[in-house]
Amino acid sequence: MHVQFVLFDGFDPLDVIAPYEVAHAAGTLGGGAVTVELVSAEGPREVPAGLPNVSLRAVAVLDPARADVIVLPGAVGDLPTEREITEEERARTIPAILARTLETELPRLVKEAFDREDTVVATVCGGSMILAMAGLIGGRHATGHPMGRDVLETAGVHAVDARVVDDGDLVTGAGVTSGLDLALYLVEREVGSRVAHAVEELFAHERRGTVWTATGAEPTVAR
């Protein structure tokens, strides 16, 4: 399983590093069953994160033909406010940072990934908002950071209040630290539970919550 982690200007480094380490460890403990790569829509370059003086280097271009799994992170920035703000202040907000990815080749490349039968697109935190704003996951089930789930709903996505949501070739994680759980689940799903458990032991981290899927009986709602 080859996993490409997408970097864009303003990305949240924890959204990338946490699942990257899980996938890398799965490759080590699984005899090379998982390989990892940092990529961007533009190709090899130094990509600034949303934190001061933090960057990661993309070593290749995002390539759905090479990737089995593509992981899209969220962003670090200012939160929207109800008060009047300047354009410069607005540009530093998380929604603005995420929206700027739509001006790159990223939406086209992710659509290409969805069009392939053998590629999984995964997101952490605000990554699902990028897909929603790009019009790529309307009618699908997904999660994301709680503060951004209204964006998912507005875009026609069935927003689910769960830590990890599995909708087939779309697997999404909620808040920032859910990247650990999302990656462990992907390792279990694609490589096997024994390797996933070995990674859990190595990192002293146990996944939280139930992975939500649109299967089984619908629960009744008490009134």
Side-chain angles (χ1 to χ4, degrees):
M1 178 174 77
H2 185 57
V3 188
Q4 290 191 330
F5 292 83
V6 180
L7 306 178
F8 56 83
D9 292 1
F11 72 92
D12 188 327
L14 187 56
D15 288 0
V16 176
I17 292 299
Y20 183 98
E21 285 206 40
V22 168
H24 179 267
T28 301
L29 297 173
V34 182
T35 55
V36 293
E37 191 174 35
L38 296 176
V39 302
S40 79
E42 298 80 18
R45 69 182 180 99
E46 198 74 17
V47 186
L51 295 176
N53 305 313
V54 177
S55 65
L56 291 174
R57 179 161 184 79
V59 300
V61 67
L62 171 59
D63 185 356
R66 292 180 53 237
D68 298 300
V69 178
I70 293 169
V71 180
L72 189 60
V76 174
D78 296 339
L79 297 175
T81 176
E82 295 181 359
R83 69 176 178 84
E84 289 292 326
I85 59 176
T86 66
E87 286 302 313
E88 182 178 352
E89 290 174 321
R90 193 181 310 279
R92 295 197 298 266
T93 64
I94 291 175
I97 295 169
L98 297 176
R100 283 197 289 273
T101 66
L102 306 184
E103 301 169 8
T104 71
E105 288 294 296
L106 183 57
R108 179 186 66 80
L109 292 169
V110 175
K111 182 181 185 305
E112 181 181 331
F114 277 127
D115 289 341
R116 299 179 63 86
E117 294 183 358
D118 57 352
T119 305
V120 175
V121 176
T123 67
V124 183
C125 199
S128 58
M129 291 173 59
I130 295 175
L131 302 183
M133 291 187 293
L136 296 175
I137 56 172
R140 305 287 301 264
H141 294 91
T143 189
H145 193 284
M147 295 183 69
R149 287 181 191 151
D150 57 336
V151 175
L152 300 182
E153 292 284 359
T154 300
V157 179
H158 300 298
V160 181
D161 182 11
R163 193 161 172 82
V164 177
V165 172
D166 182 342
D167 196 40
D169 63 350
L170 172 66
V171 182
T172 53
V176 180
T177 59
S178 67
L180 286 167
D181 294 5
L182 176 134
L184 283 165
Y185 173 69
L186 285 172
V187 170
E188 180 185 37
R189 194 182 91 162
E190 304 295 328
V191 180
S193 60
R194 288 190 291 184
V195 172
H197 182 261
V199 176
E200 278 191 340
E201 288 189 313
L202 177 66
F203 286 3
H205 173 80
E206 294 183 3
R207 287 187 300 163
R208 292 197 285 120
T210 300
V211 175
W212 190 97
T213 62
T215 57
E218 292 190 27
T220 57
V221 180
R223 295 184 180 277

